[in-house]
Amino acid sequence: MSNYDQLISHYQTINHFNHAQSMLGWDAAANMPTGGSDARSQAMAELSVHVHRLSTQPQLGEWFNNAENELLNAEQTPLITEKKASLREMKRQWQQATLVPEDLVQAQSIAGSKCEHAWRSQRQENDWTGFEKNWKDVVALSREEAAIRGEALGLTAYDAMLDKFEPGTTTASLDTLFSDVKTWLPELIEKALAKQQSESIIMPSGTYPTAAQKSLGLEIMKLLKFDFDHGRLDQSVHPFCGGVPSDVRITTRYDESDFVQALMGIVHETGHARYEQGLPKAFAGLPVGEARSMGIHESQSLFFEMQIGRSKDFITHLSRLSADAFNAYKDPVFTEENLYKLYTRVDKGFIRVDADELTYPAHVIMRYEIERDLINGVIEHTDVPEIWDEKMKASLGITTKGNYKNGCMQDIHWTDGSFGYFPSYTLGAMYAAQYKATMTNTVNIEAAIQSGDLSPIFQWLNDNIWSQASLHTTDELVKRVTGEVLNAEHFRKHLEARYL
Ligand SMILES: [Zn+2]
């Protein structure tokens, strides 16, 4: 057996343990009674340790060296190109697992869970002083991690953290993209608000039973061609898409006084799910067969949510299906016109997760700038509330002075050291707009949505993105599909067309 084949078999084994881990995690979030929690945590921790041991086995380094030589000396055929991509992605996962020393990983895990756990009540109490004491350690350990990764990968500290979620994306490229957005976004938000001021909108005010919301969600999933033989919908406190490509688990949460969030949440998670379901079977269980990056994953959920879900043509379906589900044929809330207004309403708020499509990038860009400077040591963790306030005033014109719970303490990401993740959200929105601009050249998107058979759209996504998994780097993937690297211009045009 060649070392390359040994690696393939080894990573398939790792994948089987990850499969089990992911199902245990889904069950813990969607089904498990609270009394099961302690034993479940122990079982999952044990599995994590086992996977980590498999991922860092000492002979792997030698196997990678030998496999690289094997492929370098082989005749360059399409199969060899595929194998090279597969090797690159296995090596990437190996590096991610081995770069950071175990005692640092452990220290981070302890500091992260302590900080996150305390944050849950500290946020409610607006207790920055209490939070800051725990967070100090999380930031220090993340800087240590960033330095080690950066040194090994030849990247700056923050770029090394970005690399965990968005391989190939750098501060330089993000600075270019985001500074472009900052030149036009504030004015666009003002214009959209001025336009919407004169419009009347009817807010949902009835009771929308969970059972009806769920059956409506399932109808929408059918329209979006979710494969129910390979996945299901459940409920959890925080919506997510989990499971494995052959068995994708998505969740949502229902609020009986408002259907708006749950419904679009299902459209969003269905986008994540269809990407997973569309990943190539030929590479199942291998790193090269996995989703390209967090940003590309988000590009698919946001393609479903923003490019399809909030289009006028799709809202026509939503209007009809919601009136059916809630038996509310005469309710003015569910007219096409009113639903469209509900789903495209712009509001300058404090909270990222409640933000609309137009103000969302402002929330992400300021987080990016802050975490970049924090990890690079340009600012200290105690500077964050003040900088947050300045940036909120500059981008959305609202102040968070003294309001930590709705300011820098609102997100879970920083509490456990997930620095480098935030940019993925806005990168996803930009990729989605760029894909749409290209898709328009060959697919009549409006006609497909109007007809209720969206297959041509999904076929395009499958051919160009889902089936390509991680065969190409992110830049290569986007260039192959759209003829250029990521360009904020498509995002601007999309937003202008919708909001002006
Ligand atoms: Zn998402």
Side-chain angles (χ1 to χ4, degrees), residues 33 84 211 213 221 232 234 270 300 358 424 436-437:
K84 278 185 175 169
Q213 289 195 51
M221 287 165 73
R232 48 178 289 137
D234 291 277
T270 301
Q300 297 309 291
L358 195 54
S424 307
K436 163 91 180 292

Side-chain angles (χ1 to χ4, degrees), residues 361-418:
H363 291 275
V364 168
I365 293 171
M366 60 176 274
R367 283 160 177 74
Y368 157 70
E369 292 171 345
I370 294 173
E371 65 176 22
R372 174 198 65 196
D373 290 352
L374 189 61
I375 294 299
N376 286 338
V378 177
I379 59 171
E380 294 308 321
H381 76 286
T382 43
D383 300 330
V384 171
E386 200 185 318
I387 297 174
W388 189 284
D389 180 47
E390 279 164 22
K391 288 187 184 292
M392 268 316 254
K393 280 192 285 201
S395 59
L396 294 174
I398 49 183
T399 175
T400 56
K401 204 165 182 62
N403 186 357
Y404 308 104
K405 72 189 269 192
N406 294 325
C408 63
M409 281 176 71
Q410 66 179 272
D411 297 300
I412 194 170
H413 305 57
W414 288 348
T415 67
D416 72 350
S418 294

Side-chain angles (χ1 to χ4, degrees), residues 19 30 69 100 110 168 189 225 233 265 279 366 436 479 490:
H19 179 150
N69 285 331
V100 184
I110 293 167
I189 293 172
K225 296 218 161 24
L233 167 71
L279 290 168
M366 60 176 274
K436 163 91 180 292
K479 252 194 270 184
H490 302 289

